[in-house]
Amino acid sequence: PDGKKLLHKYIKTGTDDGDDKVTKLLESVDSVAPVDLIQAYNLYAQAQNEKDPEKVVEFCKSALVKGMDIAKARYETITQQQPPQDATPVGFLWLIKTHELLASNQMKLDQMDEAKATIQAGLEVSKESIGLLQLMVDICNSQKDLEGEYEALKVLLDIPVDSKAPSSVAMLRREQGFRLRALEQQVGAKVP
């Protein structure tokens, strides 16, 4: 009706041809997001709005199958032309969030091994995902995997936190530091 083509309920192109930038989230070197990548993001958006954990898992898995290889190829193309400035490039944030959403819903369904595999796959995309590392800490804690919890906490606490972060983040980090020291004593490891 308004001359714009609807790609997602929140994403419209400027014309029916889709010749402009779709969204900064999906843009790449050439500013044209492949249809499969847009469909993958749409599946992720559906998963975010879904309440049923089984359906969330289904949407997230479909999104990752459809979009992961394309996103990785686009990332490699971009980084060859210009090294990344951030630990997680903007175009990859949705992939990290999809892994987080998938893993947390797998945990709700008591699919702990699958959740661990999802987290590990997500950490291959971004080794500094606080959300994924926190989920790994939670899984290891629930399974009484002290060594796994220790390793995840150690990596998590090595990630710098913005100085403008709310005081609740500082309190959480402090608690995590205490837990790391307790785990150090239990597993016999040493904290640097």
Side-chain angles (χ1 to χ4, degrees):
D2 60 2
K4 295 183 179 187
K5 181 178 177 185
L6 182 66
L7 295 174
H8 178 273
K9 67 182 183 178
Y10 301 116
I11 304 170
K12 291 183 181 179
T13 64
T15 66
D16 287 330
D17 297 336
D19 60 357
D20 65 339
K21 291 182 182 176
V22 176
T23 176
K24 185 168 183 157
L25 182 66
L26 298 175
E27 77 181 10
S28 72
V29 180
D30 59 6
S31 303
V32 178
V35 172
D36 283 348
L37 190 58
I38 293 168
Q39 290 172 348
Y41 181 79
N42 285 342
L43 288 165
Y44 162 65
Q46 285 179 287
Q48 286 181 301
N49 295 322
E50 183 58 57
K51 302 289 184 234
D52 179 8
E54 289 180 2
K55 288 184 180 178
V56 172
V57 167
E58 182 182 324
F59 285 135
C60 288
K61 284 182 176 179
S62 295
L64 291 173
V65 166
K66 194 170 267 295
M68 183 68 112
D69 290 338
I70 296 168
K72 281 184 176 181
R74 292 164 66 85
Y75 176 72
E76 288 173 13
T77 301
I78 292 167
T79 55
Q80 286 174 358
Q81 294 177 1
Q82 179 180 4
Q85 297 173 357
D86 299 324
T88 305
V90 173
F92 260 27
L93 291 177
W94 76 273
L95 280 175
I96 303 304
K97 294 298 182 186
T98 303
H99 281 90
E100 288 177 18
L101 188 59
L102 176 57
S104 65
N105 280 277
Q106 287 169 325
M107 290 170 66
K108 288 177 187 175
L109 296 170
D110 202 31
Q111 300 172 350
M112 298 303 184
D113 290 338
E114 292 89 343
K116 274 186 173 179
T118 298
I119 292 167
Q120 289 169 344
L123 289 171
E124 288 179 22
V125 176
S126 174
K127 295 184 183 356
E128 293 188 1
S129 170
I130 292 173
L132 287 172
L133 288 166
Q134 183 60 55
L135 286 171
M136 184 63 86
V137 168
D138 295 343
I139 288 175
C140 291
N141 182 283
S142 72
Q143 294 182 326
K144 309 286 187 245
D145 176 3
L146 300 180
E147 291 176 11
E149 183 181 1
Y150 171 78
E151 290 301 320
L153 265 175
K154 194 166 76 170
V155 173
L156 179 63
L157 290 172
D158 282 344
I159 298 172
V161 177
D162 187 355
S163 62
K164 298 175 187 174
S167 61
S168 60
V169 172
M171 291 296 292
L172 178 61
R173 296 289 270 207
R174 185 172 178 221
E175 290 172 19
Q176 290 170 332
F178 290 140
R179 178 67 180 151
L180 184 67
R181 283 174 186 71
L183 287 168
E184 174 192 49
Q185 293 175 351
Q186 291 176 336
V187 298
K190 296 194 181 211
V191 179

